[in-house]
Amino acid sequence: MTFDYPGYDLKFIQKEPYDDGSAHKYTYIFKFFSPLTKLHYIIRADYHSFDVFAVKFYCKQHRRSERKYNIITNKGDIGNILVTCVKVIPYLLGKYSNASFGISGARTIDRSGRAEDYRNNQRYKIYKELIPTKIGTNTFEHFEYDHVSSYLLLNKNGGDVITRERHIKEMFCTTYNNLEDIL
Amino acid sequence: MIYYIVICHIVFMLNFNNMSTLLKKTQSSKGERLNWGKVQSVEKGTIPASSFSGRKLTESEHAKRNRDSKTLLVP
């Protein structure tokens, strides 16, 4: 599978504080436009303790939907859209050189209200092919979590990799205690 | 006679369009075709981190996956 797409230009919108006492501290918000689908997309990079960003995106027209991460727009141009989302990683690395990144594949919910299993779902299967084609192994260790459809890029600069991976996993489990529901 | 044929054609086309609309409405969704479950709310609770089995991607697995890649955004 190849992902040789140029992607689109990212536009930084704002840094939104998130002060609910959890490990989620603030969110960087970006947007971009796809001329092929004629739709705007929003990328949110949630900064957490342990220098971890959780990167997520949705189509702007679904911004008010509680299932915005689960809807499939089915308009195409997925290669450019995903590559644009990956561009957030080098952007944020410029500001946070020790940052790690977590990505979760949201399970699809179709028009009849049926939901895909959260294990090894279709979005995650694409992400785990895409990320190694765009992100090398000099800066990050790559971890796969098929059971929760998640992928972790752990920065090698921050010290012991195994301990940090365990701490990050525990932090996400505590912060997102409805993980099965939101995945 | 010609009028009769034209009217028959129009009636046929109208029925055909209605049929295709009906078919679309009754067509099963992706979740139904793949036998996905209905969305259910899950009770909040801490999920033990130990229940998530992750694994580190080895250098060779990584190299295999990006063998066709031309550009890396991060080395």
Side-chain angles (χ1 to χ4, degrees):
Chain A
M1 198 182 289
T2 57
F3 287 94
D4 288 322
Y5 296 91
Y8 301 116
D9 289 335
L10 272 178
K11 189 178 176 192
F12 171 68
I13 304 296
Q14 64 167 329
K15 183 179 167 184
E16 186 182 79
Y18 194 87
D19 194 16
D20 67 343
S22 74
H24 179 190
K25 304 297 179 198
Y26 44 83
T27 301
Y28 279 84
I29 303 173
F30 305 84
K31 77 171 182 181
F32 65 92
F33 175 70
S34 160
L36 288 181
T37 64
K38 296 183 174 50
L39 292 169
H40 289 273
Y41 297 86
I42 305 292
I43 305 176
R44 296 175 66 92
D46 297 345
Y47 180 83
H48 295 80
S49 313
F50 299 106
D51 249 356
V52 197
F53 283 96
V55 181
K56 25 182 135 169
F57 80 99
Y58 57 86
C59 180
K60 193 180 171 189
Q61 70 178 13
H62 299 139
R63 64 191 177 279
R64 291 194 181 87
S65 167
E66 60 177 15
R67 292 178 181 169
K68 54 183 171 284
Y69 297 111
N70 308 97
I71 297 169
I72 289 207
T73 55
N74 213 14
K75 301 276 189 207
D77 200 22
I78 190 66
N80 277 315
I81 291 167
L82 291 180
V83 170
T84 312
C85 292
V86 177
K87 282 183 179 178
V88 164
I89 295 175
Y91 178 94
L92 290 170
L93 267 183
K95 293 179 183 293
Y96 302 83
S97 57
N98 292 339
S100 302
F101 295 86
I103 298 116
S104 256
R107 55 184 181 159
T108 300
I109 298 178
D110 73 1
R111 59 190 152 85
S112 69
R114 283 176 182 267
E116 193 185 4
D117 193 357
Y118 54 86
R119 294 175 190 88
N120 204 17
N121 60 40
Q122 56 186 358
R123 285 189 176 90
Y124 168 69
K125 284 175 191 166
I126 295 172
Y127 300 164
K128 74 176 181 183
E129 291 295 325
L130 161 75
I131 294 164
T133 67
K134 294 292 164 195
I135 310 290
T137 50
N138 290 353
T139 316
F140 295 108
E141 287 285 6
H142 296 235
F143 287 89
E144 291 179 344
Y145 305 91
D146 290 358
H147 191 82
V148 285
S149 296
S150 302
Y151 198 97
L152 177 67
L153 290 166
L154 191 68
N155 202 310
K156 288 180 174 175
N157 295 331
D160 179 33
V161 167
I162 300 300
T163 314
R164 278 168 55 233
E165 188 259 344
R166 185 165 48 81
H167 286 155
I168 288 170
K169 209 161 69 171
E170 283 166 3
M171 181 273 292
F172 275 131
C173 287
T174 314
T175 310
Y176 298 102
N177 53 12
N178 56 343
L179 199 60
E180 292 189 4
D181 202 18
I182 60 166
L183 277 172
Chain B
M1 186 63 184
I2 293 169
Y3 282 126
Y4 179 73
I5 292 169
V6 169
I7 288 167
C8 280
H9 181 73
I10 291 170
V11 169
F12 172 77
M13 287 309 288
L14 281 172
N15 280 335
F16 182 78
N17 283 343
N18 285 341
M19 285 278 284
S20 62
T21 315
L22 258 174
L23 262 174
K24 270 183 194 167
K25 278 183 184 170
T26 53
Q27 209 175 34
S28 58
S29 68
K30 184 170 187 177
E32 284 161 353
R33 289 197 304 277
L34 297 176
N35 202 23
W36 290 348
K38 280 273 178 194
V39 177
Q40 293 170 347
S41 59
V42 176
E43 278 184 33
K44 289 191 178 186
T46 307
I47 303 161
S50 55
S51 68
F52 296 166
S53 50
R55 66 184 198 92
K56 196 165 87 173
L57 215 64
T58 61
E59 289 281 345
S60 60
E61 281 174 319
H62 186 276
K64 196 176 165 189
R65 285 192 202 171
N66 80 353
R67 65 187 180 279
D68 298 323
S69 175
K70 289 175 188 146
T71 48
L72 278 178
L73 290 174
V74 179

